[in-house]
Amino acid sequence: MANVKLSKEELDLVTNAGFILTKNRIIGKVYDMFGLLSETFRQQAAGFPDEMSRAQAKISKGENYLGLPWVMMDYPRLFSKTDVFAVRCFFWWGNFFSITLQLSGKYLGQYASPAERYLQQHPSGWW
């Protein structure tokens, strides 16, 4: 049998339930924040075609993106075999929050140039 021992740091963490409970509260708050953000996005997306705003926000979470917890929200979102329009918000523990606009198919042709123009005029970001 292999001689596996925990380091002092590992032993301190494994005997500290508060660490995991705090991590779970933080992930829950990010999840809730994305839920509130989806409502803001829904109001902002009023000018988009109905098929984009009909879908509810999809919020997912996981424990292992390159070893770390994450939370992701897609809204507005429309995914088909040929066309994609999605605003993706992503939280990656220990790294960052990000927001991306995902376009392909007809939506790439329709929205890529206006999005590029907007970002050139507003280099600090979306809003």
Side-chain angles (χ1 to χ4, degrees), residues 105-117:
K106 69 180 182 182
Y107 299 114
L108 179 63
Q110 188 174 358
Y111 292 108
S113 292
E116 287 177 19
R117 279 194 305 276

Side-chain angles (χ1 to χ4, degrees), residues 50-92:
D50 285 343
E51 71 262 15
M52 284 182 214
S53 55
R54 269 183 280 193
Q56 296 295 313
K58 180 177 180 181
I59 305 174
S60 307
K61 60 184 176 177
E63 292 294 324
N64 192 10
Y65 179 68
L66 299 177
L68 296 168
W70 57 272
V71 182
M72 180 178 70
M73 176 187 70
D74 288 336
Y75 188 79
R77 64 186 180 96
L78 189 136
F79 294 93
S80 74
K81 290 183 181 190
T82 58
D83 306 309
V84 172
F85 182 102
V87 175
R88 176 165 287 174
C89 298
F90 189 73
F91 166 74
W92 186 22

Side-chain angles (χ1 to χ4, degrees), residues 5-25:
K5 293 185 179 183
L6 297 177
S7 70
K8 171 144 177 37
E9 178 185 13
E10 292 167 335
L11 189 56
D12 288 346
L13 284 175
V14 83
T15 59
N16 179 1
F19 174 78
I20 293 297
L21 294 173
T22 300
K23 179 223 131 238
N24 290 342
R25 278 194 310 274

